[in-house]
C-alpha cells in the first residue's frame, strides 16, 4: 500500500482553487490506486515548531558531528518527527497557491523545518547527498498568471526543483495557471479544463 503525504495550504477552504485541483487530483489517484493511504498535513491548522536560534545551532552541531547542548537537543527533537514523517512517505504532494511568485510562507516554514542535515540530506566528501531515495514530490498549485514565458519569476518551480535535486526527490507539477489575467469566468473555465485533463 503506497503512502502519500499531502502538505496543503489552502486558506480559502472550499473556495480555494488549489483545494479543488488537489481534491480532483486525489480523486483520480484513488481511482487508479484504491489502496492509496493518504495522510494530509493542513498547514492552515497546524502549528509548526520554530526554526530559530537553537535549531540553527543544533543544525550546525549535527553537521559537524558534535554533541548537542540541552537547548539544541530539545529544538532538534521538536523538528525530527516532521522530517521522519516526510521520509516515511512513499511520495509527497505539496498543495498551495502561488503567492507573490513563490510559495506561501507556511509552506516555506514547513520545508525549513524538515530539510536538515542527517535527516533529509547529509554532507559527504563529495558534497551534500540527499536521503529521500528518489521519492516523487508533486507540486499541486494554481497561479493567477501563466509563466511559460516568464520562468525567471516563477520561484515556485525554480525553488522546489532545486530543493528536490538537493534532497533526492523526483519533481513533478500539477498546475492550473492564468486563472486571474483574463477575468473570473475565463479563470473558472481554465481551472475546469485543467481538472478535466487530470
Amino acid at each position: 500500500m503506497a503512502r502519500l503525504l499531502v502538505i496543503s495550504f489552502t486558506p480559502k477552504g472550499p473556495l480555494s482553487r488549489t483545494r479543488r485541483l488537489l481534491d480532483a487530483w486525489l480523486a483520480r489517484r484513488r481511482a487508479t490506486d484504491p489502496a492509496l493511504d493518504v495522510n494530509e498535513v493542513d498547514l492552515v491548522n497546524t502549528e509548526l515548531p520554530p526554526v530559530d536560534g537553537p535549531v540553527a545551532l543544533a543544525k550546525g552541531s549535527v553537521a559537524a558531528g558534535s554533541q548537542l547542548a540541552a537547548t539544541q537537543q530539545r529544538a532538534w527533537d521538536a523538528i525530527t518527527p516532521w522530517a521522519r514523517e516526510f521520509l516515511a512517505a512513499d511520495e509527497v504532494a505539496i498543495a498551495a497557491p502561488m503567492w507573490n511568485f513563490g510559495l506561501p510562507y507556511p509552506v516555506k516554514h514547513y520545508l525549513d523545518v524538515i530539510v536538515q542535515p542527517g535527516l533529509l540530506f547529509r554532507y559527504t566528501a563529495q558534497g551534500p547527498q540527499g536521503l529521500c531515495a528518489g521519492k516523487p514530490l508533486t507540486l499541486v498549485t494554481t497561479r493567477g498568471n501563466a509563466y511559460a514565458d516568464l520562468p525567471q519569476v516563477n520561484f515556485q518551480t525554480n525553488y522546489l526543483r532545486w530543493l528536490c535535486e538537493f534532497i533526492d526527490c523526483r519533481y513533478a507539477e500539477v498546475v492550473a495557471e492564468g486563472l486571474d489575467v483574463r477575468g473570473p469566468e475565463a479563470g473558472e473555465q481554465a481551472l475546469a479544463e485543467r481538472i478535466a485533463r487530470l
Side-chain angles (χ1 to χ4, degrees), residues 98 142-147 150 176-181:
M98 176 180 271
T142 53
R143 300 170 181 156
N145 203 346
Y147 289 89
L150 298 168
E177 61 179 9
L179 303 186
D180 293 331
V181 292

Side-chain angles (χ1 to χ4, degrees), residues 9-164:
F9 179 73
T10 55
K12 294 180 183 177
L15 299 178
S16 166
R17 297 178 301 196
T18 302
R19 180 81 242 178
R20 289 163 56 195
L21 183 61
L22 172 64
D23 288 344
W25 182 73
L26 286 173
R28 181 61 57 91
R29 291 296 312 280
R30 287 183 169 115
T32 58
D33 184 2
L36 185 68
D37 178 22
V38 178
N39 176 35
E40 183 170 346
V41 176
D42 177 2
L43 294 179
V44 174
N45 299 302
T46 299
E47 184 175 350
L48 294 168
V51 182
D52 53 10
V55 171
L57 290 168
K59 179 177 183 174
S61 295
V62 169
S66 304
Q67 183 72 29
L68 274 65
T71 55
Q72 295 175 21
Q73 189 65 59
R74 284 193 295 272
W76 200 250
D77 290 345
I79 65 170
T80 51
W82 298 93
R84 290 188 181 126
E85 179 182 49
F86 185 95
L87 286 168
D90 297 305
E91 63 176 298
V92 176
I94 295 176
M98 176 180 271
W99 278 11
N100 297 320
F101 312 106
L103 295 167
Y105 65 91
V107 179
K108 182 60 166 59
H109 183 180
Y110 172 83
L111 294 170
D112 287 341
V113 167
I114 65 168
V115 179
Q116 302 289 351
L119 296 173
L120 267 62
F121 71 96
R122 65 184 170 200
Y123 293 111
T124 73
Q126 291 74 40
Q129 178 184 37
L131 300 175
C132 293
K135 81 171 78 226
L137 186 150
T138 302
L139 173 66
V140 179
T141 191
T142 53
R143 300 170 181 156
N145 203 346
Y147 289 89
D149 297 325
L150 298 168
Q152 69 275 16
V153 297
N154 177 1
F155 298 109
Q156 274 187 332
T157 298
N158 292 338
Y159 173 72
L160 284 175
R161 191 182 298 281
W162 169 247
L163 185 70
C164 283

